[in-house]
Amino acid sequence: MELKDKLISSFLAFEEGLEPDKGMDSIRNEAIREFENLGFPNRKDENWKYTSLNAILKHDYTIFPKKEDAIEYRDIKKYLIHDIDTYDLVFIDGIFSSHLSQTTHDKIDVCLMSSALTQDKYRPVIDNYFNKIAPKSGLNSLNTAFAREGAFIHIHKNKQADKPIQIINFATGNESSLLLQPRNLVVVEENSHVQIIERHQSLTEHPVLTNSLTEIYADRRAMVDYYKIQNDKGSASLIDNTFIDQKDESNVSVHTFSFGGKLTRNNLNFYQNGERIDSTMKGVTIIEGKQHVDHNTLVHHIEPNCESHQDYKGIFGDSSTGVFNGKVLVEKEAQKTNAYQSNNNILADDKATINSKPQLEIFADDVACSHGCTIGQLDEEALFYLQSRGIPRKEARGLMLYAFANNVLESVKIPEVKKRINKLIASKLEVDLGFNNL
């Protein structure tokens, strides 16, 4: 049975295991019908022209994993940012792990989607925000149909989360292959602030496919600082769908660090529904072997006097493949828009590939917008210069590659995250840049 048919036939069993809820039942039923109609994307879709899911859809994935393995803190410690105090939401095979999580709080709502979907006190937030900005697509509809578990984060008006929130999804490999569909909802009310760190990590060599969906709502003058760390095993694939709605004077930044996994696809959409909004999306990709990373971004400028900043750097070795498809859409009413988009790439080996398509669609006449793309290799003359100063070629190459990606790290606001990313970059480049002593 093909995966699509298996998912459709499994939906009834999934729904029967849930408490009756007229509102959510109708949303889920509509979503499964949309998935049945749309299915999985393929290369006939322009946005998926350079990324095929065929290889990862052929596995016989388990949709309802068994109870979690006995995972202890020592098993996952290295994947957490543990140098600072954080709220932790840890999921094992899609199931919340209470003994590995730390969610005690008194200023903010940090809980599970399963709780938010069933408790009356969270119902107004769910009714107002759940599934309101994710565009219709096969993958989004599939996640919505099976939406049950993930993180629910609600920062009330004039509040600041006193420490970062970590959302960590682990796959243990109880089954031979596993399909996970976490669903996150982040609502940050007026004049509020939150920092979030998200990671998906496989602990098994069995194939794992994660189809994640996150909706983020930033109200007036809200600030959201979001970090995605993607450094998974070669048997794991991730489709990350993140959609952000911003109101007047809000500031949202998303940093995506893609270092591992078989196939990684990041769908990141910003919708600016207000004035004096600032949207930032930055990323660093360093991959090798036959790994594949695809960044598909959209910034929709709807109203005037707003800014957006995109800066993606990629380093591709061996036979790896990178894709960047970034679109900036400026509506006629969005005068005085400042929008900047940059995608720069280095092909470290002759067999590596990058497909880059920066796009601007501008219908306003009083804007400052720019986009650019570069693809090249390291400058041999610069390498020779460093070697002539006594730096071995391997270290010289690592220094140049690190310098290439470093400006993306300059905007990381959590020092411990910057330290972790520095170490990961040094590890990927196989050089000692001294970050172990930071």
Side-chain angles (χ1 to χ4, degrees):
M1 182 183 297
E2 290 188 359
L3 181 58
K4 176 184 175 181
D5 297 329
K6 181 179 181 179
L7 288 163
I8 294 171
S9 63
S10 299
F11 175 73
L12 182 60
F14 168 79
E15 194 175 37
E16 288 177 349
L18 302 174
E19 295 182 13
D21 183 318
K22 184 177 180 181
M24 284 303 303
D25 289 347
S26 62
I27 291 174
R28 287 193 174 100
N29 281 294
E30 181 182 356
I32 198 65
R33 287 193 296 269
E34 290 173 352
F35 173 69
E36 185 174 12
N37 180 49
L38 298 171
F40 291 102
N42 56 55
R43 287 187 167 179
K44 293 181 181 179
D45 183 335
E46 182 65 25
N47 286 330
W48 290 82
K49 183 177 180 180
Y50 300 108
T51 298
S52 172
L53 299 181
N54 291 340
I56 64 174
L57 296 180
K58 66 181 181 181
H59 300 290
D60 184 20
Y61 291 105
T62 296
I63 302 169
F64 307 119
K66 297 177 182 178
K67 188 177 180 180
E68 67 180 74
D69 280 342
I71 299 296
E72 301 298 333
Y73 180 74
R74 63 178 179 271
D75 300 317
I76 67 170
K77 179 180 178 181
K78 66 180 181 179
Y79 301 112
L80 302 174
I81 306 292
H82 49 74
D83 299 332
I84 52 172
D85 193 17
T86 58
Y87 296 117
D88 297 333
L89 287 167
V90 178
F91 300 88
I92 309 294
D93 295 338
I95 301 171
F96 177 67
S97 176
S98 58
H99 78 283
L100 294 175
S101 300
Q102 195 280 102
T103 60
T104 302
H105 55 86
D106 55 8
K107 296 182 179 179
I108 60 178
D109 291 331
V110 180
C111 69
L112 309 181
M113 279 299 299
S114 56
S115 298
L117 292 171
T118 56
Q119 295 188 29
D120 290 341
K121 67 177 181 177
Y122 299 125
R123 195 65 201 211
V125 179
I126 293 295
D127 290 341
N128 287 333
Y129 296 104
F130 182 82
N131 205 44
K132 293 297 191 296
I133 56 172
K136 289 185 179 180
S137 74
L139 291 167
N140 294 341
S141 297
L142 176 63
N143 183 284
T144 299
F146 286 90
R148 182 179 185 181
E149 201 57 288
F152 172 81
I153 299 171
H154 180 203
I155 314 298
H156 295 273
K157 184 178 179 180
N158 298 322
K159 298 293 184 181
Q160 177 173 339
D162 54 331
K163 51 189 177 182
I165 300 168
Q166 290 193 93
I167 306 170
I168 316 291
N169 294 274
F170 291 100
T172 67
N174 277 333
E175 315 294 342
S176 57
S177 302
L178 187 61
L179 173 61
L180 300 175
Q181 300 201 78
R183 180 66 173 245
N184 304 315
L185 176 61
V186 180
V187 179
V188 186
E189 293 189 3
E190 186 175 346
N191 293 322
S192 298
H193 181 203
V194 68
Q195 293 180 314
I196 300 173
I197 305 162
E198 180 187 34
R199 182 163 185 163
H200 301 271
Q201 183 65 49
S202 176
L203 303 176
T204 176
E205 298 301 329
H206 293 308
V208 175
L209 172 58
T210 300
N211 176 39
S212 174
L213 198 158
T214 301
E215 294 176 292
I216 301 173
Y217 295 86
D219 208 339
R220 291 171 55 88
R221 295 183 293 278
M223 295 183 65
V224 181
D225 195 23
Y226 209 107
Y227 301 94
K228 297 175 180 289
I229 301 176
Q230 302 168 345
N231 187 34
D232 216 336
K233 292 181 178 291
S235 57
S237 296
L238 169 66
I239 303 171
D240 186 293
N241 307 284
T242 301
F243 307 101
I244 301 165
D245 178 275
Q246 291 185 251
K247 303 304 183 186
D248 296 87
E249 300 180 60
S250 61
N251 188 316
V252 178
S253 65
V254 177
H255 290 72
T256 305
F257 301 103
S258 304
F259 301 132
K262 181 176 182 179
L263 182 149
T264 303
R265 165 76 176 216
N266 291 299
N267 297 314
L268 177 59
N269 291 15
F270 280 74
Y271 303 99
Q272 295 189 335
N273 291 299
E275 295 191 40
R276 295 176 295 281
I277 290 172
D278 197 317
S279 304
T280 299
M281 56 189 76
K282 296 188 177 185
V284 176
T285 300
I286 305 176
I287 55 174
E288 57 193 355
K290 294 184 179 180
Q291 294 175 321
H292 183 109
V293 171
D294 182 345
H295 295 287
N296 188 284
T297 69
L298 167 68
V299 183
H300 192 174
H301 289 270
I302 302 170
E303 299 191 33
N305 303 306
C306 296
E307 294 189 9
S308 65
H309 306 265
Q310 294 187 61
D311 188 4
Y312 283 79
K313 298 291 183 69
I315 300 172
F316 304 94
D318 298 329
S319 299
S320 61
T321 300
V323 182
F324 177 80
N325 189 350
K327 183 176 181 179
V328 177
L329 174 58
V330 183
E331 298 290 358
K332 182 179 180 180
E333 295 78 13
Q335 304 292 342
K336 304 294 184 181
T337 289
N338 293 325
Y340 307 96
Q341 183 187 80
S342 177
N343 175 230
N344 300 298
N345 307 280
I346 290 179
L347 300 178
D349 293 288
D350 292 339
K351 293 184 179 180
T353 303
I354 174 68
N355 299 286
S356 183
K357 186 181 178 183
Q359 304 174 69
L360 293 178
E361 291 189 16
I362 303 171
F363 300 96
D365 54 17
D366 185 9
V367 300
C369 300
S370 66
H371 66 171
C373 165
T374 62
I375 301 172
Q377 297 177 321
L378 287 178
D379 187 339
E380 286 295 331
E381 290 187 4
L383 273 174
F384 178 77
Y385 174 82
L386 291 175
Q387 289 178 268
S388 71
R389 294 299 184 268
I391 302 176
R393 181 178 178 85
K394 182 178 180 180
E395 282 69 21
R397 180 178 180 273
L399 286 170
M400 289 181 64
L401 291 174
Y402 173 76
F404 169 75
N406 183 52
N407 69 325
V408 173
L409 298 181
E410 291 176 354
S411 56
V412 174
K413 298 174 184 176
I414 303 177
E416 292 78 9
V417 171
K418 183 180 292 188
K419 179 180 177 181
R420 174 63 62 90
I421 299 303
N422 276 327
K423 289 183 177 180
L424 287 174
I425 291 176
S427 175
K428 292 293 292 185
L429 299 178
E430 297 182 336
V431 294
D432 181 6
L433 298 178
F435 297 121
N436 290 330
N437 298 320
L438 288 178

